[in-house]
């Protein structure tokens, strides 16, 4: 399971519903992530999304 892997101290994250989040310490466990946007012309930080997000306990592991 991802949460058993070493956390990545370069990627701090508070999205605890993501399966890649190490809930206890608030870090991502992936080596790298992809960041994108859902906006045609992003103007604020709310426009940026983690594209590596996967809902915990969802789908294919
Ligand atoms: S994949 Fe993205 S949303 Fe999920 S823990 Fe890592 S940084 Fe957070």
């Amino acid at each position: 399971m991802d949460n058993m892997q070493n956390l990545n101290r370069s990627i701090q994250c508070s999205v605890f519903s993501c399966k890649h989040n190490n809930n206890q310490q608030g870090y991502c466990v992936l080596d790298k992530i992809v960041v994108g946007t859902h906006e045609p012309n992003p103007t604020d930080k709310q426009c940026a999304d983690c594209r590596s997000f996967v809902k915990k306990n969802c789908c294919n592991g």
Side-chain angles (χ1 to χ4, degrees):
M1 276 174 61
D2 283 338
N3 285 349
M4 297 300 162
Q5 297 171 4
N6 290 334
L7 55 80
N8 184 341
R9 292 197 180 278
S10 296
I11 308 176
Q12 203 167 0
C13 181
S14 60
V15 184
F16 299 131
S17 59
C18 177
K19 69 175 270 190
H20 300 307
N21 193 286
N22 180 311
N23 291 353
Q24 291 79 15
Q25 298 173 69
Y27 287 92
C28 186
V29 300
L30 298 177
D31 290 338
K32 62 180 180 181
I33 61 168
V34 176
V35 177
T37 183
H38 55 275
E39 300 285 349
N41 181 26
T43 55
D44 203 352
K45 61 182 171 185
Q46 285 85 349
C47 302
D49 308 310
C50 179
R51 297 292 192 179
S52 301
F53 170 87
V54 176
K55 186 175 182 288
K56 192 181 286 183
N57 301 325
C58 175
C59 316
N60 301 316

